[in-house]
Amino acid sequence: HVQLVESGGDSVQAGGTLRLSCVASGHTDSIDSLITMGWLRQAPGKEREGVAAACTSRGDRTFYADDVKGRFSISRDDAENTVHQQMNSLKPEDTGVYFCAAAPHAIHPLKVIEYNHWGQGTQVTVS
């Protein structure tokens, strides 16, 4: 069993920055199997969507949704079992609950259906 715990959500003004963090815990073999880790968000009244993902199986490749490219940056520290998301130049449309998620393998790392481990979410509000 894998547990993911997010932190860092807050209310900020447009143009501001936030840094989200997620810590994974659980059995060592389970943690080591988390090839793909990502951030997904759910805006009020909208479906959950992928924002960014990092895959160790693809040469440490990162993936971003088009509307966050150049503004968000995902990074992972496997020694600490953490994944971060630096969010710059925040816009009101970035508002939502941000979830950390993980999966042993993901063909499409920005698709919600790929993930089988989820955190409880952290609220980001941009006004």
Side-chain angles (χ1 to χ4, degrees), residues 61-94:
R61 279 192 63 188
T62 55
F63 303 82
Y64 296 95
D66 288 342
D67 61 341
V68 305
K69 285 180 181 177
R71 300 190 298 122
F72 290 12
S73 178
I74 187 171
S75 60
R76 55 188 294 175
D77 183 345
D78 291 330
E80 298 292 332
N81 296 329
T82 60
V83 61
H84 305 284
Q85 178 164 272
Q86 179 69 37
M87 305 189 296
N88 300 327
S89 303
L90 283 162
K91 304 176 180 179
E93 50 264 44
D94 293 321

Side-chain angles (χ1 to χ4, degrees), residues 91-115:
K91 304 176 180 179
E93 50 264 44
D94 293 321
T95 293
V97 179
Y98 282 71
F99 297 88
C100 174
H105 178 64
I107 298 175
H108 304 291
L110 294 180
K111 289 191 177 295
V112 173
I113 197 172
E114 295 279 8
Y115 294 93

Side-chain angles (χ1 to χ4, degrees), residues 24-35:
S25 61
H27 191 276
T28 299
D29 288 345
S30 298
I31 298 295
D32 290 344
S33 73
L34 301 179
I35 300 299

